[in-house]
Amino acid sequence: MSNIRENLLRVQERIEKVARRAGRDPAGIKLVAVSKTVEVARIREAIDAGVTILGENYVQEAQKKIEEIGKPISWHFIGHLQSNKAKYAVRLFDMIHSVDSIPLAEELDRRAEKEDRKIEVMIEVNLSGEATKFGTEEAKTFDIAQKIFNLNHLSLVGLMTMPPYFEDPELSRPYYVQLRQLMEKMAEAGIPLKELSMGMSNDFEVAIEEGATYVRVGTAIFGERPKK
Ligand SMILES: *Cc1c(COP(=O)(O)O)cnc(C)c1O
C-alpha cells in the first residue's frame, strides 16, 4: 500500500472515530484533500485511494492540475483570491471557501454570470486578528453575507476560518467555537448556513467536535510540503 493510501485511511478512520464520539454522523464531515505543491502523480494516487474533493490555494498551479486530471473530482479553492483571478476561479472550481470582501463577491458573481454558472462559496472569517493575513473581520461577515444572498450566481453555503498554527490542537478550539457561534448568530438573524470549513492536519479532530462539516487536510495525507 502506498503511503498516501495508508495516510488517507488513517485520516478517514480518525474522522469517523471522533465523529462518533461527538455524536455526529461521519457522513456529515467532508474531507478536502489539500494538494497545494503536490504533483499530479501523487494526487492521482490519492484519487485512486478514494479522495473526492481536492483543495488548492493558487489559481495558476491548480489550473495545470485540473487540465490534466479533470473533473471527476470536485475542486475547491481555499487560498487567498485576488479579484483579477476571479475569472479563472469560477471556471476551474466548484466551491470557493475564501470569499472575504464584497468587491470580490461581486466580481465572482459577474464572472460566474458570464460563464453561466452558479458557484458555491463560503466567507473566510479572520478570528485571530493580526495573526493571519486573510479573511474578513467578524463584524463585517453579516454585510458580506447579505450581499452574497442578493447575488444570483453565488450560493452562500457556509463559513471558513484558519486559526494561527498551534502545536497543541486544544488552542485552536476557541476559534472553532467562535465560528460555530457566528453561524448560529447568523441563523438567528435570518441567514441560515449549513457548512463550517475548519480544521487542518494538526487539529481536525477538535474542529469536528466543534461542528466542522469540511476539514481541509494536506500534510496528514500527502506528507510534509517543501518549505517555501
Ligand atoms: C495548506 C492549507 C491547509 C492544509 O494544511 P495542513 O496543515 O497541511 O493540513 C488547509 N487550509 C488552508 C487554507 C491551507 O492553506
Side-chain angles (χ1 to χ4, degrees):
M1 214 159 43
S2 85
N3 64 342
I4 289 177
R5 184 175 291 267
E6 233 169 85
N7 291 347
L8 179 67
L9 266 177
R10 203 165 311 133
V11 168
Q12 287 167 332
E13 278 166 11
R14 285 167 62 191
I15 289 172
E16 211 172 299
K17 195 165 158 202
V18 68
R20 294 199 192 287
R21 201 172 63 216
R24 299 186 56 194
D25 179 357
I29 297 140
K30 289 147 289 198
L31 174 62
V32 179
V34 176
S35 49
K36 63 180 174 222
T37 79
V38 179
E39 70 272 30
V40 166
R42 289 168 59 74
I43 295 175
R44 287 198 207 277
E45 278 186 52
I47 294 169
D48 290 344
V51 157
T52 58
I53 307 172
L54 287 164
E56 287 280 342
N57 290 60
Y58 305 100
V59 171
Q60 262 178 310
E61 180 188 336
Q63 181 163 15
K64 292 201 191 89
K65 295 175 181 176
I66 296 171
E67 281 164 5
E68 275 194 60
I69 294 170
K71 292 255 183 180
I73 287 292
S74 184
W75 293 87
H76 289 200
F77 189 80
I78 62 171
H80 179 62
L81 187 60
Q82 289 163 324
S83 287
N84 62 3
K85 301 273 169 64
K87 174 169 74 170
Y88 306 103
V90 302
R91 279 184 202 156
L92 294 167
F93 294 98
D94 303 295
M95 193 186 290
I96 295 171
H97 290 225
S98 48
V99 175
D100 62 358
S101 74
I102 288 176
L104 176 60
E106 289 174 329
E107 180 64 8
L108 286 168
D109 184 65
R110 267 195 297 277
R111 295 300 183 169
E113 181 173 13
K114 282 197 180 139
E115 301 285 327
D116 199 21
R117 298 198 60 188
K118 186 155 184 165
I119 309 280
E120 293 193 316
V121 299
M122 294 193 245
I123 298 173
E124 179 174 1
V125 188
N126 183 346
L127 299 168
S128 36
E130 292 297 293
T132 54
K133 279 178 292 189
F134 301 122
T136 184
E137 53 190 282
E138 179 171 357
K140 292 190 179 152
T141 310
F142 280 84
D143 285 348
I144 298 175
Q146 287 288 6
K147 180 74 208 182
I148 296 176
F149 260 102
N150 292 317
L151 297 173
N152 289 328
H153 295 269
L154 300 187
S155 168
L156 181 64
V157 297
L159 303 176
M160 182 269 231
T161 199
M162 181 162 160
Y165 177 81
F166 300 110
E167 279 298 322
D168 177 3
E170 276 304 318
L171 297 178
S172 298
R173 191 182 298 276
Y175 296 92
Y176 296 149
V177 170
Q178 211 181 328
L179 197 70
R180 171 167 45 79
Q181 289 174 341
L182 179 58
M183 185 166 82
E184 289 162 3
K185 275 186 257 175
M186 294 186 73
E188 284 163 22
I191 306 175
L193 302 175
K194 60 181 199 294
E195 310 290 359
L196 287 173
S197 170
M198 56 189 201
M200 308 176 27
S201 290
N202 66 314
D203 63 7
F204 66 82
E205 284 150 319
V206 168
I208 289 168
E209 285 170 354
E210 299 303 338
T213 62
Y214 282 98
V215 291
R216 309 180 309 267
V217 179
T219 308
I221 295 171
F222 293 107
E224 291 288 337
R225 287 180 293 275
K227 296 260 186 316
K228 280 209 191 135

